[in-house]
Amino acid sequence: MATATATAPRRRASMGRQKIEIRKIESEEARQVCFSKRRAGLFKKASELAVLCGAEVAAVVFSPAGKAFSFGHPSVEAILDRFVPSAAQHPGAVVAGAGLGAAGDRNLAELNRQYGELRTQLEAEKARKERAEEAMAKERAAGNQMAAWLDADLRDMGEEELMAFAAALVEVQAAVSERANQVLQEALNVGR
Amino acid sequence: MARKKVTLQYIANDSTRRGTFKKRLRGLMKKAGELAILCDVKTCVLVYGEGEPAPEVFPSHAKAAAILTRFRSMPELGQCKNKMNQAGFLTQRIDKLRDQVDKSRRECRDREIKVLLHRAMLGALPGLAGLTIEELTSVGWKVD
């Protein structure tokens, strides 16, 4: 799935998307991990179906250990009762969000909006990060002094290099405070 | 896989909505099946489409009824501990996203500042011209 681009193709940290066979996972640990992830994914898909298509959706899942997990929109109770009307209902079983009225809908709309906004923000941040990474990669590739220093481990550096590094740092520090004072002065002068 | 972003909002266009419903319903049931087999767990999904009296059920009416009976027979606490509805679900995801955004921001700034610092160290920024106060202070901290 990874396509080679102009820059060297990056190796992904994990193994990424792999087609797996649908049969019971033998390893208990792996099964539990898979359960956590897929259960969350299932609920997410159910949630999306409900919102996008105006459907009423409920999902009930038992974990390998026997714990019950449920998701329902508008509420698990409402849908279960619709499916299997139960005479012995838990009277007044109030679950947060059950009995949504117009206010509940408004709340949901707002939450959905926030969700969308945050997703966009996240994408923007990821893009910025990519660009920063690219800039760093370019510098590394140029094989110059910057490259050596960018990821420098102080322990690996020889004495000479360390001194040069430290000297440069000190210089920058001085320059920074000088410049900062300068800027401050200008700001004060403008204030007058 | 068409990787378009879809805003989480009720689809206004009737035919698009119906098509999406069919597609996503199929996908949801498939995922439920995979979960059930891979993890060897009892799973059931109920979907009442808009204006449809009869629900779509996984795995089957009978099996789902059995699962739900077991669910209902659990003490209230057992049911409620992991109960979710849309609002709770969204809130949880929103919090998670917020954390991700913050983390991403921090990492991003970190890298940008690092690059700036090194450029300064190599004398590529004479007099540190053109840096904003924010960038200056960040670089200053990084030095320390």
Side-chain angles (χ1 to χ4, degrees):
Chain A
M1 239 180 175
T3 54
T5 54
T7 55
R10 268 195 298 255
R11 209 105 297 253
R12 293 200 171 253
S14 65
M15 281 162 54
R17 267 243 163 87
Q18 292 181 312
K19 193 161 173 92
I20 59 167
E21 209 185 304
I22 303 298
R23 58 208 292 258
K24 175 176 170 180
I25 296 175
E26 292 308 325
S27 151
E28 223 178 280
E29 202 180 311
R31 203 184 323 144
Q32 181 57 46
V33 170
C34 175
F35 176 78
S36 288
K37 291 188 173 180
R38 279 184 177 258
R39 182 201 55 78
L42 186 71
F43 283 12
K44 180 171 180 223
K45 291 281 183 192
S47 155
E48 291 175 352
L49 176 63
V51 173
L52 289 173
C53 308
E56 297 197 345
V57 184
V60 172
V61 182
F62 282 89
S63 75
K67 270 206 313 198
F69 291 79
S70 57
F71 170 86
H73 174 83
S75 83
V76 178
E77 266 83 25
I79 298 177
L80 293 201
D81 285 341
R82 196 169 159 185
F83 185 67
V84 179
S86 134
Q89 276 167 268
H90 299 285
V94 177
V95 174
L100 290 175
D105 285 339
R106 271 201 298 278
N107 189 31
L108 274 185
E110 170 59 26
L111 280 175
N112 276 322
R113 194 196 58 79
Q114 272 184 31
Y115 182 78
E117 219 179 76
L118 275 174
R119 258 220 307 208
T120 318
Q121 272 184 23
L122 188 63
E123 276 164 33
E125 288 300 324
K126 285 216 164 114
R128 262 180 86 189
K129 194 163 127 177
E130 284 254 342
R131 286 200 297 270
E133 285 286 352
E134 274 167 32
M136 284 174 82
K138 218 171 59 170
E139 296 293 341
R140 280 194 201 101
N144 56 16
Q145 183 62 283
M146 165 95 97
W149 278 356
L150 260 182
D151 303 309
D153 187 351
L154 289 177
R155 287 162 294 185
D156 287 338
M157 289 204 259
E159 189 175 326
E160 222 177 77
E161 211 185 332
L162 262 179
M163 292 187 65
F165 193 78
L169 266 182
V170 168
E171 217 178 282
V172 171
Q173 198 177 38
V176 166
S177 46
E178 196 186 300
R179 178 74 184 134
N181 284 332
Q182 219 177 49
V183 174
L184 209 58
Q185 275 296 342
E186 285 167 18
L188 285 173
N189 287 337
V190 170
R192 280 202 199 111
Chain B
M1 278 181 287
R3 274 280 169 255
K4 290 170 295 180
K5 172 174 168 169
V6 178
T7 44
L8 215 56
Q9 212 182 10
Y10 182 70
I11 298 174
N13 184 310
D14 283 343
S15 68
T16 311
R17 194 176 63 244
R18 276 196 294 263
T20 302
F21 177 75
K22 272 211 177 95
K23 226 185 342 175
R24 282 181 175 259
L25 176 67
R26 207 170 47 230
L28 184 65
M29 296 314 195
K30 183 175 176 209
K31 288 282 180 186
E34 291 178 352
L35 174 61
I37 295 176
L38 283 171
C39 308
D40 193 29
V41 288
K42 296 277 179 284
T43 307
C44 84
V45 177
L46 304 176
V47 180
Y48 285 90
E50 270 180 321
E52 274 175 50
E56 302 283 342
V57 187
F58 172 90
S60 68
H61 262 261
K63 293 208 187 111
I67 294 176
L68 294 178
T69 306
R70 176 176 162 191
F71 179 67
R72 276 206 172 126
S73 71
M74 288 177 77
E76 178 119 4
L77 213 58
Q79 281 184 40
C80 284
K81 272 188 101 183
N82 296 298
K83 190 165 278 184
M84 288 224 143
N85 65 2
Q86 189 69 341
F89 191 74
L90 274 182
T91 310
Q92 207 181 64
R93 301 218 85 236
I94 285 175
D95 286 339
K96 203 171 179 187
L97 274 184
R98 265 216 189 94
D99 287 340
Q100 281 182 319
V101 172
D102 288 338
K103 183 178 174 197
S104 211
R105 267 205 194 113
R106 257 179 291 132
E107 285 174 2
C108 193
R109 291 234 71 207
D110 213 56
R111 270 165 192 66
E112 287 176 358
I113 294 302
K114 213 173 173 185
V115 172
L116 270 182
L117 176 61
H118 282 87
R119 283 171 66 196
M121 282 166 69
L122 294 170
L125 294 176
L128 297 178
L131 288 189
T132 63
I133 276 286
E134 213 182 83
E135 288 167 338
L136 275 179
T137 39
S138 306
V139 173
W141 282 342
K142 196 79 177 177
V143 173
D144 293 331

